[in-house]
Amino acid sequence: MTPTAPLGRRRFAELTGSWRAALRIARRESRRARRRTALVLAMIALPVLVLAFLAASYDMAELTPQERVDRRLGVADAELRWIAETPVVQDEWGDGWYSRDDSQSTSGRPTTAAEVTSMLGPGSRATEIRAGNPVTVRGPRGDETLQGRVLDLADPLARSLVRFRSGRAPQQPGEVAVSPAALRRLDVRLGEAVATADGTRAYTVVGVVEFPDDLGPVVALHPTAVGRADPQTESRWLVDVPGVVDAAMVSRLNDRGVVVAPRHLPASTSSRGWFGYADTTDLSTGVLIAGLGLLEVVLLVGPAFAVGVRRRRRDLALVAVAGGDAAQLRRVVLADGVVLGVLGAAAGLLLGVGAAFAGRPLMEQYVFGVRFGGYRCWPAALIVLGGVAVLAGVLAALAPAWTAARQDVMAGLAGRRTPPRSRARALTLGLALVVGGAALAAFGATRTSPAVILTGLILGELGLVCCTPTLIGALARLGRLLPLAPRIALRDASRNRAAAAPAICAVMAAVASSVALGGYLASDGVRDARAYQPMLPTGHVLIYREEPGRQPEPTAAQVDAAARAQLGATAIAPVLTPRCPAADGPAGYCSVAPELPADRACPWQPGDSLSATQRRQARADPRCRDRATDYYGHYVETIVDDGSALPLLTGADAAATSAAARVLREGGVVVTDPRYLHDGRVTVQVNEVRAGQDETTTTRHDLPGHALPPTVGQPRLLLSASVARQLGLDTVQAGWVVDTPAPPGQRRQDRFANDLRAFGAFSVQVEQGAAPRNDSPLLLLLAAAAGLITVGAAGIATALAAAEGRAELSTLAAVGAAPAVRRLLAICQAGVIAGLGSVLGIVAGLGTAAIVLFSANREYATAWPVREPYPYLVPWPALGVLVLVPVVAMLGAGLFTRARLPIERHLD
């Protein structure tokens, strides 16, 4: 007698055999229904392709530790940085350091090659690499700013950092090598000269080199072309030593204040992890966004599996008659999802990685701006993507699998449809998820947590998915009042809810996301415009010299002529600032500002952690009128003026300007914030730190004062020249303020800078005013993405419905229906999917945006400093596009549907 196998082993064998048979059936079905298989594969493989492309590109762009060392050192043995004059302690890689005696002493003098080699011993070599300042040169389309690097490319140590494309290394101060991007921007060839923007120097281009760490416009200067006067210039030394850079040498150099980055990495060096040091909030947000994308794919693919189950209902009924239970029927349908998910994942991964390898040069040049490391594809990420693709296929087949397991066997054998049944449990669950998701999203908005908001949106979307079949059934009962074609379209959608509901929900999800995000962006743009605080009256211009000490200086007449000719100036005035003579120098400091009376100062500071009671008190206290958007804070700009620059800086009218000028002539001061004026006087505080001293010297002076009526711009204190001398201050010219009838464009600003090019570079700041942020391109892009999904879902559902309803179309032809009925029916079917999904999506999107904005405003209502609330706005550009999308989907369905009705003949 043969012993009986254990129960567990028998069940495992039965389960394995059942899945093996189901997978064989699924493979056979995928070959039989090739069009439906291709459709599902395309929808699964496309997102996998995009994500695999991004994963492989990111992995190639993320350099390994050894690749980072090779790019940093070239062929050198180590990199040295003279950080301090005192001993330092560094990490193993030379990226972080701190002073051994906790002092902040830094190296304040340039280092020579002889000093470096003397620390390394005989036989060593060193070359310096300096990050030069940006170089502004004349180009064919105006001035061009290039990133400068100072290194001797004739030295093998420095030459190993670049890739020579053509030409030779610069050997003289007047020779440069440029990157390919700079060569294209300047439109020059080898041997031609380029001049600096101020016309003081000219360089001859002798080589074209590529810096792997920066593919942008870069110019390589010879070390003799740039002086070493600035001790703050970032400098590093590449060294070649006879032996190896060991721990003893690193310790010896650290004692001299030198940080070492050796070529040979420590044994503890490990490759990057999955997410590096990613913030958990960002990680959770990314996972939820990926979940939304997965849900969208499931909803788009679901109709294809639903139609496949209906076309195979006789085969599934035969499986049931042969002894298959409900679990085995579910496995047969789920196996379709497994097979198509695996095939879609394989196709997407292969195409994505291949596209990443083929498009690598374009990604390097135009996206990352650096050269990648080796060819690799991040296998761990690809495995996860493949698993997610298979999961999407299984989830898309899940609902049809449950439907197949519950079908009537006799109806399936006879080829009849099982009437759909609306389940109250699904509707109740859907409504509960909608309410719970809305509450969770509102809670997340009060806590400014994107992860919680997205979780609420996902729950609400799942709730609407559960409610959609009931809504379709309710609309179908109203279809009896409609003409023939829309009545049939609604009836088919009701009968085929397993296919129509996912398509409608896919459209709804895309439209709702677009509308909700568009509504938030529109409200946020208007909120930012309301909170904007201008620096000057609209159209006025501030002009500063970028090199204040450079000689010669332009005269007032020269600046006036250039401003009137190029900027259309109607008035111009100099901007003078006070300076403490004794604090002049890099180590000195001087500030002149009005002092706020103690009884007018707010008892709380914006950075304080206040209780709810304290916040209410602060909001009610007139002394605490600070707003969260007051980015000037308590800073007051002090200028020296006789009244000529006052109206240009503040926009004060003639009467206010005349009164202020009179006070200035009489030895008083003017403030734009009336809080600083007390008993007709203003207390001016002068804080001075002299070079070589740590103590601050503070003097206070009570001067006659005058407060301007409300003006634009930041708080200002105006002193007359006589008052400045009385306070012991010098006066220096910082720039000019210009009144123009309209904000000048960039071309006019460039022409103004060109007119004064002989006097150096000028910074031109134009006050554009509080124009609302233009989010229309982004809103239209979101609407276009939602529209594409809408058209795709409508097209897929319409095509599947046409294939499923071929027999009914033959019946229509037999009873004499006109050929145009087929096309009109396709138009109505597309209209049901796209129209109903768009309407639900617009309502859900506007409701989501309203909940989020309302919740945020409730939080702001009790906040201090006071925050500008969000207005409730409708993103009309996006809604306009989304309203037209169903029309486009209907027209497309009518265009690609043949008008001829099919006629089938059955032979007895």
Side-chain angles (χ1 to χ4, degrees), residues 28 82 137 217 271 315 383 486 590:
R28 182 196 64 187
W82 200 323
V137 298
S271 60
D315 295 340
I383 291 174
C590 176

Side-chain angles (χ1 to χ4, degrees), residues 826-869:
I827 292 175
C828 294
Q829 288 171 334
V832 169
I833 301 298
L836 185 56
S838 296
V839 170
L840 292 176
I842 290 174
V843 173
L846 292 176
T848 300
I851 291 173
V852 172
L853 296 178
F854 175 76
S855 303
N857 287 341
R858 285 196 60 186
E859 181 71 13
Y860 291 166
T862 59
W864 185 85
V866 179
R867 299 184 182 182
E868 187 74 27

Side-chain angles (χ1 to χ4, degrees), residues 119-131:
M119 294 186 296
L120 300 175
S124 60
R125 295 188 301 111
T127 185
E128 186 182 20
I129 310 296
R130 278 184 282 160

Side-chain angles (χ1 to χ4, degrees), residues 661-894:
R662 183 171 58 254
V663 172
L664 292 173
R665 286 194 303 268
E666 294 174 354
V669 298
V670 176
V671 290
T672 58
D673 189 343
R675 294 182 301 167
Y676 292 100
L677 185 66
H678 57 93
D679 300 328
R681 306 185 71 83
V682 174
T683 301
V684 178
Q685 181 177 294
V686 180
N687 299 313
E688 181 180 358
V689 179
R690 300 191 178 186
Q693 298 181 1
D694 295 333
E695 296 183 357
T696 302
T697 303
T698 301
T699 59
R700 293 176 174 84
H701 307 268
D702 280 342
L703 302 172
H706 172 73
L708 285 175
T711 58
V712 300
Q714 66 188 85
R716 290 185 172 93
L717 168 66
L718 284 78
L719 310 174
S720 65
S722 61
V723 170
R725 288 191 297 269
Q726 177 184 341
L727 300 179
L729 304 174
D730 289 341
T731 301
V732 295
Q733 182 162 343
W736 297 266
V737 59
V738 177
D739 181 10
T740 61
Q746 189 60 46
R747 289 180 177 272
R748 302 182 68 180
Q749 297 177 41
D750 293 341
R751 289 199 298 265
F752 170 79
N754 290 337
D755 284 357
L756 299 179
R757 180 179 292 167
F759 304 101
F762 287 80
S763 173
V764 181
Q765 302 177 13
V766 180
E767 179 56 59
Q768 303 288 347
R773 189 175 65 231
N774 184 17
D775 289 325
S776 295
L778 180 58
L779 296 178
L780 293 177
L781 181 62
L782 292 173
L788 182 63
I789 294 176
T790 300
V791 173
I796 293 170
T798 303
L800 293 174
E804 177 69 10
R806 184 177 178 87
E808 295 183 354
L809 294 176
S810 299
T811 303
L812 288 174
V815 298
V821 172
R822 180 180 185 181
R823 179 169 292 171
L824 185 59
L825 179 60
I827 292 175
C828 294
Q829 288 171 334
V832 169
I833 301 298
L836 185 56
S838 296
V839 170
L840 292 176
I842 290 174
V843 173
L846 292 176
T848 300
I851 291 173
V852 172
L853 296 178
F854 175 76
S855 303
N857 287 341
R858 285 196 60 186
E859 181 71 13
Y860 291 166
T862 59
W864 185 85
V866 179
R867 299 184 182 182
E868 187 74 27
Y870 286 98
Y872 296 96
L873 298 177
V874 177
W876 292 113
L879 288 188
V881 174
L882 294 175
V883 169
L884 293 177
V885 166
V887 179
V888 174
M890 295 168 66
L891 294 177

